[in-house]
Amino acid sequence: MKKLAVIISSILLSSAATTAMAADTYQSISHVGYMDIDGDDTVSVDSTYYFSPKATLGPYDQFEYINKQTNVYGAYSDNDFLDVTSIGGEYFVQDFVLGAQYNNFDSDFGSSTDVIELSAGYFFNPNLVLKATFVDVEDADNQFVFDLAYNHELNSTDYIGFTVTADDEFDYRAVAAKYFVDLQQGNYLTVEGKFEDVDGGSSSWELASNYYFSKATSVFVTVNKNDDYAFGAQHFFNNNVGLEAGYGNNWDDSDYDVYFANVSLQF
């Protein structure tokens, strides 16, 4: 009987190790998106390259709450009023992270604004990081923004993540949180929320949730303080290509239909 118990234990440990090793990893994650807001079309593209493999937590689009992989990225969006271009990257060395980002907002009405962001962060431990970002806006006042992010690990996959953000004068304050849980049997759930408050302005909040029927197929819904809502579904045809499609509107003013679709390319 004792020998049988040892054999069963070995099989279970081997199975657990195989499951842990089965996580998909990616180094390049890109998206191509289209959105139609009552006739105003927006086309967008973004791509991030990680210099080391980034492992999923099950679903193809779910990763650890706090990124720890050095990366470079770029993004571009274009609609009837504005073109936005962004490039940047993050470099991780020991307990520190350094980042830089350049943004250009090019209005179709003739104006253009550059925004440069430089950041530095320190990991107190792998699950707690404090980051300071210097924001230089062309022809406007510069400012510092501070982020404190904490990831509370519930087990090897599940977590509750928190991020607190404020500017140097505490005029802007925000709290964001995310809960990820493996429901077993191949099902997963995420719940996210964000609250923002600005001195001299109004506060806002948003809630979002994704339910995964498998690591490839999910449905989602979002709502906010202004009674805007959106819902849709996403499906990965394989571990490299996924398609998301959805619809949005407002509970009080339904004159503006929003249709959107995004293609994910992950390698």
Side-chain angles (χ1 to χ4, degrees):
M1 180 66 69
K2 183 177 181 180
K3 184 176 181 180
L4 178 61
V6 172
I7 293 173
I8 293 174
S9 177
S10 298
I11 292 173
L12 291 176
L13 288 173
S14 175
S15 175
T18 302
T19 300
M21 293 173 60
D24 296 277
T25 60
Y26 300 99
Q27 286 191 247
S28 173
I29 300 177
S30 305
H31 305 93
V32 179
Y34 171 79
M35 179 180 293
D36 182 334
I37 305 177
D38 196 39
D40 178 17
D41 300 331
T42 298
V43 177
S44 62
V45 59
D46 67 79
S47 185
T48 302
Y49 178 78
Y50 298 93
F51 287 82
S52 58
K54 192 170 181 64
T56 67
L57 296 178
Y60 291 131
D61 65 343
Q62 291 296 320
F63 304 89
E64 62 182 349
Y65 184 70
I66 300 175
N67 175 57
K68 302 180 183 70
Q69 277 81 32
T70 296
N71 62 84
V72 291
Y73 56 84
Y76 174 78
S77 67
D78 175 30
N79 61 26
D80 294 340
F81 307 99
L82 184 69
D83 298 347
V84 181
T85 303
S86 299
I87 57 173
E90 295 176 298
Y91 178 66
F92 293 81
V93 53
Q94 297 183 350
D95 295 329
F96 295 90
V97 55
L98 302 174
Q101 180 171 305
Y102 166 78
N103 309 280
N104 175 259
F105 300 86
D106 187 12
S107 170
D108 291 352
F109 302 102
S111 63
S112 178
T113 301
D114 293 332
V115 179
I116 297 174
E117 300 179 25
L118 301 174
S119 63
Y122 177 75
F123 282 85
F124 297 95
N125 61 56
N127 292 314
L128 179 64
V129 59
L130 175 64
K131 184 184 296 184
T133 301
F134 173 71
V135 183
D136 180 4
V137 181
E138 183 180 7
D139 299 326
D141 294 335
N142 302 329
Q143 65 173 336
F144 280 93
V145 177
F146 300 93
D147 296 281
L148 181 66
Y150 172 65
N151 176 48
H152 179 65
E153 296 180 342
L154 301 175
N155 52 49
S156 61
T157 57
D158 304 355
Y159 68 78
I160 301 176
F162 301 93
T163 301
V164 179
T165 304
D167 65 7
D168 49 1
E169 296 184 355
F170 212 61
D171 293 329
Y172 170 81
R173 303 164 293 272
V175 178
K178 180 176 180 179
Y179 174 54
F180 174 85
V181 57
D182 182 348
L183 299 173
Q184 307 300 317
Q185 307 303 317
N187 306 124
Y188 306 87
L189 177 71
T190 68
V191 179
E192 300 180 64
K194 185 174 184 178
F195 175 81
E196 296 178 291
D197 186 55
V198 181
D199 281 355
S202 60
S203 62
S204 63
W205 57 262
E206 181 174 274
L207 294 174
S209 182
N210 293 264
Y211 178 80
Y212 292 83
F213 300 97
S214 68
K215 64 181 184 179
T217 305
S218 61
V219 293
F220 61 87
V221 61
T222 65
V223 295
N224 65 24
K225 182 181 178 180
N226 297 323
D227 291 330
D228 299 319
Y229 66 88
F231 59 86
Q234 177 176 252
H235 177 70
F236 278 81
F237 302 98
N238 52 48
N239 60 349
N240 300 121
V241 181
L243 174 64
E244 175 191 76
Y247 170 80
N249 211 315
N250 183 276
W251 291 111
D252 298 326
D253 182 5
S254 59
D255 291 337
Y256 294 94
D257 296 313
V258 179
Y259 300 93
F260 56 92
N262 294 281
V263 175
S264 297
L265 303 171
Q266 304 185 177
F267 299 94

